[in-house]
Each structure stands twice: as structure tokens, then as C-alpha cells.
Amino acid sequence: MSTYLKAIFKSRPNRFIAICELDGVEVKAHVPNTGRCKELLIGGVEVYLRLSDNPKRKTKYSLIFVVNKGELVSLHSQDANRVVFEAINNGKIKELQGYSEVLSEKTIHNSRIDIYLKKTLNDGSIEDCYCEVKGVTLIKDGIAQFPDAPTERGCKHLRELLKLKKEGHRAVVFFLIQHPAGDYFRPNWENDPQFAETLKRVNSEGVEVLVYKSINTLDEVKIDDKSLDFTLDK
């Protein structure tokens, strides 16, 4: 049985709060996505809220899904980390198989990287990998694009991955398309040329780019274990 409540999106007074109509009553819901999502959160669209049992929260609900282009889109950006982490642990990501240890979040230098992978080779040496996850919800002209709003924090993560690569670690930026209509990826050159340029540069210097998408239902969000094509060009 679904734990989600169907509602209608009305407005978004700030990036953290959405006003929704639930059973004819307006309620406030937390939006767990700091992106603009303006192509998704349009007045009158169908959304799905999750009720929180935390009495300390300012809002009783979280806006988890929105229906767009007939698809259920996940707006829970942090859930992308969980989906990718579980997929790696279950051997669903072919490019990241063979590691004996997979940790969620690893602090190094001045950053906290989403996923850390490690294995010990036959000669006793350590081979590891730092993986930063980015959830993608924006679809333009049938192509998934990131970001939907300029992100200096995203650029910082890319520069950190490049630093780790130059220090001898494997470094991966993993784009999880959380909108099922997206089957191809490019950085959003028009919206954030700095991020796009940085992504293209770090990739040319050895930071790997992986693109997958999630399969979303109200009962489960999991990964489609087929990597997707992408371009980093304009």
C-alpha cells in the first residue's frame, strides 16, 4: 500500500516550501530539492506528498514526486545518493563493480564526497574511487540536462574530484536522471556555462562521467541498470 498522498501543486513561495492542495485543503510541504524545478512545478500539476512523523518539523509533508510528461519524476535530490549506493552494492553499475568496500559519504580535503569505493589488490596495494552523485530532473527537448540553476557548489565538487584524480585516485561524477523521459544527457550550457565548462575540462583530465536513470514508482525507486549516452559539448 502506498505511503504517498496525491495532491495538487499550487505555488512555491521559496525553494524549500510548496503550497499544495490536499483533499481540498491547502497545506505546506517541504521541497527536498534546491533546484528551480520551474519546468516541473507548475500550478495545477499532480504531486505526491509523504507525511512525516517527526514532531519537530516545521512542515508535516514532503513533496517527493511530481507528474510530468506522463511520468513520475522524483524530486528527492538526496535520494539519488541512496539509489546509486544501493545499485553499486547490488552490482548493477558495471563500471563500478569489483570493489570490496562501498561507503556512503567520505570526507577528504575540504569536501564530503557522496560514495567511496575501495579494494585491495593482490600485491597489497589499495585501489579506490571517489564518486559524486548528481540528481537530474530537467528535460529540455527530450534531453536530460544539469543543473537547472547555477551551482558553484557543483563546480567545487568537480574541482575536488579532479584534485583527487591527480593524487592517484579514481574519480567519477555520476549523473542519475530522476525523470524517466530522459534517455540522453548533456550539461546545461545555457543555464550554467561555468559548470558545463568545468565538467568538460575535468573529464578531459581523467574524471569519469557516468549517466544512468531511475525507474520510479510509488512503491520503489531503483536504477535502470543500463548506462546512457551523453555529450559534454554545447
Side-chain angles (χ1 to χ4, degrees):
M1 184 176 177
S2 173
T3 57
Y4 294 97
L5 303 167
K6 185 190 294 187
I8 300 298
F9 174 79
K10 306 291 285 187
S11 65
R12 190 180 183 185
N14 62 57
R15 64 178 180 164
F16 301 108
I17 296 294
I19 306 299
C20 302
E21 183 180 315
L22 177 64
D23 296 330
V25 178
E26 284 196 354
V27 299
K28 290 182 179 180
H30 171 64
V31 182
N33 189 313
T34 57
R36 289 177 180 162
C37 305
K38 61 182 182 180
E39 295 84 2
L40 299 172
L41 293 177
I42 303 166
V45 299
E46 187 177 291
V47 295
Y48 287 86
L49 309 181
R50 186 167 63 198
L51 180 64
S52 172
D53 56 3
N54 182 355
K56 296 182 180 180
R57 274 186 47 151
K58 293 181 179 179
T59 56
K60 288 174 59 178
Y61 305 96
S62 292
L63 197 167
I64 304 298
F65 296 107
V66 57
V67 177
N68 180 262
K69 304 181 190 298
E71 302 282 2
L72 197 63
V73 183
S74 172
L75 285 186
H76 195 338
S77 55
Q78 280 301 110
D79 196 47
N81 294 5
R82 176 197 63 81
V83 171
V84 174
F85 181 79
E86 289 183 359
I88 293 171
N89 267 319
N90 293 330
K92 299 291 187 181
I93 312 300
K94 60 182 181 296
E95 298 91 345
L96 297 175
Q97 291 175 342
Y99 290 92
S100 56
E101 188 175 346
V102 184
L103 301 176
S104 178
E105 299 190 346
K106 171 83 169 178
T107 300
I108 187 168
H109 303 146
N110 295 318
S111 291
R112 187 171 61 186
I113 307 298
D114 292 323
I115 299 173
Y116 176 71
L117 306 95
K118 184 173 73 171
K119 61 183 173 183
T120 303
L121 303 181
N122 291 334
D123 62 3
S125 63
I126 299 295
E127 189 175 291
D128 62 2
C129 174
Y130 288 87
C131 178
E132 183 67 22
V133 179
K134 303 295 181 190
V136 184
T137 59
L138 175 63
I139 305 292
K140 288 170 61 178
D141 302 321
I143 300 173
Q145 301 192 34
F146 183 92
D148 79 340
T151 170
E152 173 54 38
R153 184 168 177 266
C155 288
K156 176 179 178 287
H157 287 149
L158 294 178
R159 293 191 293 267
E160 188 64 72
L161 287 174
L162 180 58
K163 182 178 181 181
L164 289 166
K165 175 63 180 176
K166 290 182 175 180
E167 291 174 353
H169 307 278
R170 186 182 179 192
V172 173
V173 56
F174 194 115
F175 293 98
L176 180 68
I177 302 172
Q178 295 175 285
H179 192 316
D183 290 311
Y184 190 77
F185 173 81
R186 74 183 282 269
N188 194 344
W189 282 92
E190 296 73 24
N191 192 286
D192 192 346
Q194 182 185 11
F195 180 87
E197 289 168 1
T198 305
L199 178 62
K200 188 171 182 179
R201 177 175 62 85
V202 301
N203 178 247
S204 71
E205 297 187 49
V207 175
E208 299 168 54
V209 174
L210 295 179
V211 180
Y212 281 72
K213 76 174 178 179
S214 63
I215 301 171
N216 306 329
T217 68
L218 293 179
D219 295 318
E220 183 181 26
V221 176
K222 61 180 182 180
I223 211 154
D224 184 341
D225 55 359
K226 179 181 70 173
S227 62
L228 299 178
D229 291 331
F230 62 90
T231 181
L232 301 186
D233 296 328
K234 286 186 179 180

